[in-house]
Amino acid sequence: MNAMAKPTTPLLAVDIIIELDDRPGSPIVLIERRKPPYGWALPGGFVDVGETLEQAARREALEETALDVRLQALLGCYSDPRRDARGHTVSAVYVARAGGVAEARDDALNLGIFAPGAPPEPLVFDHALILREYLYFRATGRTPPLPGGAM
Amino acid sequence: MNAMAKPTTPLLAVDIIIELDDRPGSPIVLIERRKPPYGWALPGGFVDVGETLEQAARREALEETALDVRLQALLGCYSDPRRDARGHTVSAVYVARAGGVAEARDDALNLGIFAPGAPPEPLVFDHALILREYLYFRATGRTPPLPGGAM
């Protein structure tokens, strides 16, 4: 890389697992996407230059679900180049909590509330993997092992 | 954002805290930077399109220190827009272990081995903050709280 050239790196996004902690069993919020790829997904979106990941996560949650979330933990970073067919996008996935009424907005055509072990289908991107790892986190309080284990 | 336009997101980097676990006290490796900003830093660099964060972390560690590292955990993501004066760069910081002899290479002009509580000065970027949070992780086995606490 030329020392003067700006490097090209993968796109950066956030996704948010929102636990509705004022409901029995603390179910989670998923959205049905308005744009391709169509299907169910975690609320999320691209990070803007000038905002932190945490600001992006709270902004995207509010824009798509109308919920004012409290971030709890970083579940992990998902970076497989094949996870988004449109191009290499890395997602930082946060676990958050919120109360109140969720409403589908912006890129969310529809919104549903689900037990985390029984999500709808199809889930887009690698969100089925992310939800499996979230179940591990929810059961143990520990973030999932890094991909490939101790490398 | 136009649905056809490619979004602009912050640049994405990795940094690696390398514990030398074949030495008493498992000290860590820091490098003295060959390029501006000058000073001491964690080994690290930009993520290439097409590689995972974990691959980038192992590659950068090898390129700058000649160590074949085993990744242990994701310490966190550091995303303050002011953390790099050259432009908004988000860093995913990994804790790793390695044995053998470290050698300064590539962007590393010099290399040093330090007790994590007594790093050299000046540390560039937000690496002093990262090392403080690493001390918390090292003492507790828990990743540090998210910036701003439970938001």
Side-chain angles (χ1 to χ4, degrees), chain A residues 124-144:
Chain A
V124 301
F125 308 126
D126 57 354
H127 290 193
L129 166 66
I130 292 171
L131 284 180
R132 286 197 299 276
E133 298 204 341
Y134 165 66
L135 288 177
Y136 173 89
F137 171 82
R138 185 159 161 143
T140 65
R142 302 173 63 158
T143 52

Side-chain angles (χ1 to χ4, degrees), chain B residues 3-41:
Chain B
M4 294 295 108
K6 186 161 176 146
T8 300
T9 65
L11 294 177
L12 186 56
V14 288
D15 290 294
I16 314 98
I17 298 169
I18 306 173
E19 302 174 339
L20 295 175
D21 61 356
D22 59 354
R23 296 190 179 217
S26 291
I28 65 167
V29 179
L30 296 170
I31 63 157
E32 200 167 7
R33 290 172 54 84
R34 186 182 297 280
K35 298 174 185 170
Y38 298 113
W40 289 88

Side-chain angles (χ1 to χ4, degrees), chain B:
Chain B
M1 184 183 84
N2 184 300
M4 294 295 108
K6 186 161 176 146
T8 300
T9 65
L11 294 177
L12 186 56
V14 288
D15 290 294
I16 314 98
I17 298 169
I18 306 173
E19 302 174 339
L20 295 175
D21 61 356
D22 59 354
R23 296 190 179 217
S26 291
I28 65 167
V29 179
L30 296 170
I31 63 157
E32 200 167 7
R33 290 172 54 84
R34 186 182 297 280
K35 298 174 185 170
Y38 298 113
W40 289 88
L42 294 166
F46 290 109
V47 178
D48 289 339
V49 173
E51 69 180 352
T52 66
L53 294 183
E54 294 81 14
Q55 289 168 337
R58 296 183 65 203
R59 175 181 57 73
E60 287 286 351
L62 185 65
E63 285 177 2
E64 295 191 341
T65 72
L67 293 170
D68 184 14
V69 304
R70 309 180 301 279
L71 299 184
Q72 303 294 313
L74 176 65
L75 181 69
C77 289
Y78 294 81
S79 61
D80 186 326
R82 298 161 301 183
R83 62 183 295 281
D84 186 335
R86 301 169 300 178
H88 191 181
T89 300
V90 173
S91 180
V93 179
Y94 289 88
V95 178
R97 291 180 187 156
V101 178
E103 294 173 24
R105 287 183 182 173
D106 196 50
D107 288 348
L109 178 68
N110 191 10
L111 177 149
I113 296 170
F114 300 92
E121 293 186 351
L123 285 164
V124 300
F125 308 128
D126 57 353
H127 290 193
L129 166 65
I130 293 171
L131 284 181
R132 285 196 299 275
E133 298 204 340
Y134 165 66
L135 288 177
Y136 173 89
F137 172 81
R138 186 158 159 144
T140 65
R142 302 172 64 157
T143 52
L146 294 176
M151 295 179 292

